[in-house]
């Protein structure tokens, strides 16, 4: 059943109003005319099951939604752009930690597949999840890939959860080098939750974006935690990464000066690679089990002063030479 049909059917069921809202909110842009604060309040109630307290937020999810409204720093837009984020990260930790980009394209039809190797990865720069791993170019189904990416390029990820950094990201497609770690079919992903430059929690994901995806949570000493969100815990726990200390060191550098950001990393053949920045894990609309973890992470997140959206554009300088510099934070990105 299509997403549209499913949403319409759910909306007709005589559930509480918030459940109908939750169903229709999955239609990207359905509530475009609704102000951000109202949308966040209604979606928070529909997904978390509690009223969103923006005057005195106390949980992790509540504080993340506060940040969506009141910490709209322009540099975050570059940091969530899958192409620009690589340049940002390279400027902070070095290009040796960046997966090589093979091409950048304005549309699918612009891709010259003859110049790409037999194995590569395609992904959109402006959203989450639009990824195709090509392990054999001869078997690559271009027609279905074109349809998928063409649809994705028309969508603005901002409308799903009002994650402000995505609103002005330019839709593009990048081709990346295919990365293989021994005989592993899928690369584990290590997603590190950082608070003011201090790593505090690690999500270890196996079979990312597959039907059998599983997620375990660890502290920075690699002690497994009694914590779960939307995905089940794994049956086989990942061993402590050989270079965990280095991963935490890089995560601290990448997140310095930011109230909260998740830094996603790979560990491939003894080398660490940057994946992406994420400011609002699961869109800030995913429950924690047990609930106490929402409160615990919330206690780690210290909210900054509200960012002044009236600051002049001169506060942001973006050039190929100097990168991105904010006058008040001094943060520089290439």
């Amino acid at each position: 059943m299509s997403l549209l049909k499913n949403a319409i059917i759910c909306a007709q069921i005589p559930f509480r109003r918030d459940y109908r809202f939750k169903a229709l909110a999955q239609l990207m842009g359905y509530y475009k005319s609704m102000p951000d604060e109202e949308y966040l309040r209604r979606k928070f109630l529909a997904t978390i099951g509690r009223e969103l307290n923006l005057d005195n937020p106390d949980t992790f999810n509540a504080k993340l939604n506060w940040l969506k409204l009141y910490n709209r720093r322009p540099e975050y837009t570059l940091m969530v752009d899958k192409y620009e984020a690589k340049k940002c990260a390279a400027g902070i930790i070095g290009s040796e930690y960046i997966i090589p980009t093979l091409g950048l394209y304005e549309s699918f039809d612009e891709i010259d597949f003859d110049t790409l190797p037999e194995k590569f990865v395609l992904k959109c720069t402006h959203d989450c999840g639009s990824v195709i791993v090509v392990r054999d170019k001869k078997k690559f189904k271009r027609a279905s890939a074109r349809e998928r990416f063409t649809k994705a390029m028309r969508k603005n990820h901002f409308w799903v959860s009002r994650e402000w950094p995505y609103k002005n990201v330019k839709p593009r497609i990048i081709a990346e080098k295919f990365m293989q770690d021994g005989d592993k079919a899928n690369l584990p992903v290590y997603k590190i939750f950082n608070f003011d430059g201090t790593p505090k929690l690690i999500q270890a994901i196996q079979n990312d974006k597959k039907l059998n995806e599983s997620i375990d949570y660890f502290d920075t000493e690699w002690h497994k935690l009694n914590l779960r969100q939307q995905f089940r815990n794994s049956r086989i726990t990942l061993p402590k990464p050989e270079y965990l200390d280095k991963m935490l060191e890089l995560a601290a550098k990448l997140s310095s000066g930011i109230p909260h950001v998740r830094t996603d990393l790979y560990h491939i053949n003894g080398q660490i690679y940057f994946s992406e920045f994420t400011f609002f894990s699961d869109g800030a609309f995913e429950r924690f089990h047990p609930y106490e973890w929402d409160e615990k992470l919330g206690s780690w997140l210290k909210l900054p002063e509200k960012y002044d959206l009236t600051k002049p554009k001169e506060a942001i300088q973006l050039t190929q030479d100097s990168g991105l510099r904010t006058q008040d934070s001094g943060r520089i990105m290439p």
Side-chain angles (χ1 to χ4, degrees):
M1 182 182 297
S2 71
L3 183 62
L4 176 60
K5 289 182 179 178
N6 185 59
I8 292 173
I9 291 173
C10 289
Q12 293 172 343
I13 298 174
F15 286 157
R16 289 167 50 197
R17 184 181 179 187
D18 52 301
Y19 282 95
R20 294 199 299 271
F21 175 84
K22 181 180 177 180
L24 292 172
Q26 298 306 308
L27 303 176
M28 196 172 295
Y30 186 88
Y31 289 110
K32 260 185 186 180
S33 61
M34 185 178 293
D36 292 345
E37 181 176 329
E38 180 184 353
Y39 182 89
L40 295 178
R41 288 183 183 278
R42 292 183 62 179
K43 186 164 184 177
F44 196 84
L45 179 61
T47 57
I48 304 299
R50 301 174 66 224
E51 297 285 349
L52 174 59
N53 184 349
L54 291 171
D55 294 324
N56 187 30
D58 57 351
T59 65
F60 182 59
N61 279 319
K63 287 186 176 182
L64 289 184
N65 278 288
W66 186 96
L67 290 171
K68 291 177 185 177
L69 295 170
Y70 302 122
N71 192 41
R72 296 184 168 187
R73 305 191 67 87
E75 62 264 36
Y76 294 173
T77 293
L78 288 187
M79 294 175 70
V80 300
D81 182 311
K82 300 295 190 295
Y83 176 72
E84 302 295 343
K86 291 186 177 188
K87 295 190 288 181
C88 296
I92 299 170
I93 59 176
S95 59
E96 65 269 29
Y97 298 105
I98 309 302
I99 296 174
T101 298
L102 304 175
L104 176 66
Y105 316 99
E106 302 286 333
S107 68
F108 186 88
D109 290 330
E110 202 177 277
I111 303 173
D112 184 355
F113 287 96
D114 292 337
T115 64
L116 294 177
E118 292 306 303
K119 298 181 180 182
F120 56 90
V121 176
L122 293 177
K123 62 174 66 172
C124 284
T125 61
H126 68 297
D127 69 357
C128 296
S130 295
V131 180
I132 293 180
V133 179
V134 179
R135 301 176 186 273
D136 186 345
K137 188 165 66 172
K138 297 183 183 66
K139 298 179 180 179
F140 177 46
K141 298 179 180 179
R142 295 192 194 181
S144 60
R146 177 186 289 107
E147 181 179 1
R148 178 178 174 182
F149 277 102
T150 300
K151 288 181 179 179
M153 295 283 278
R154 298 193 192 108
K155 297 179 180 179
N156 188 328
H157 187 66
F158 164 77
W159 296 112
V160 179
S161 299
R162 301 295 168 98
E163 297 177 61
W164 182 82
Y166 290 100
K167 189 171 187 179
N168 296 313
V169 177
K170 182 179 181 180
R172 293 177 292 182
I173 300 170
I174 54 172
E176 287 185 340
K177 180 180 178 180
F178 175 84
M179 307 297 289
Q180 181 77 40
D181 188 4
D183 59 356
K184 295 178 182 177
N186 299 293
L187 295 172
V189 188
Y190 302 92
K191 302 187 175 185
I192 303 174
F193 290 63
N194 309 281
F195 301 81
D196 282 316
T198 301
K200 302 281 281 187
L201 182 75
I202 305 168
Q203 265 188 353
I205 302 181
Q206 301 184 61
N207 302 307
D208 189 28
K209 297 178 177 62
K210 304 293 183 182
L211 292 176
N212 60 338
E213 179 174 351
S214 64
I215 300 179
D216 292 320
Y217 295 79
F218 298 85
D219 64 17
T220 54
E221 299 295 324
W222 207 250
H223 298 125
K224 190 173 180 179
L225 304 173
N226 178 29
L227 172 58
R228 180 182 62 80
Q229 287 185 276
Q230 76 272 42
F231 290 98
R232 64 178 176 83
N233 295 132
S234 65
R235 295 178 180 175
I236 301 176
T237 302
L238 285 171
K240 180 179 178 179
E242 183 180 356
Y243 298 100
L244 178 60
D245 289 343
K246 185 63 177 180
M247 295 171 75
L248 295 174
E249 176 190 328
L250 296 177
K253 290 181 178 179
L254 289 166
S255 61
S256 176
I258 302 174
H260 169 71
V261 66
R262 201 185 74 204
T263 49
D264 300 356
L265 304 172
Y266 294 108
H267 181 248
I268 307 170
N269 297 321
Q271 171 67 22
I272 300 168
Y273 290 96
F274 168 79
S275 173
E276 63 182 74
F277 294 105
T278 299
F279 289 94
F280 309 102
S281 187
D282 293 305
F285 290 118
E286 190 60 51
R287 295 179 182 180
F288 286 83
H289 307 281
Y291 171 76
E292 286 74 18
W293 278 102
D294 203 351
E295 297 176 316
K296 188 175 184 64
L297 270 69
S299 71
W300 295 339
L301 205 173
K302 308 304 179 185
L303 295 178
E305 294 291 326
K306 291 183 179 180
Y307 183 72
D308 186 359
L309 296 177
T310 65
K311 286 185 178 181
K313 293 182 180 179
E314 290 73 19
I316 302 302
Q317 302 167 358
L318 179 59
T319 68
Q320 289 184 333
D321 296 328
S322 63
L324 179 65
R325 180 192 299 271
T326 64
Q327 290 180 352
D328 52 339
S329 71
R331 189 173 180 83
I332 302 175
M333 302 171 189

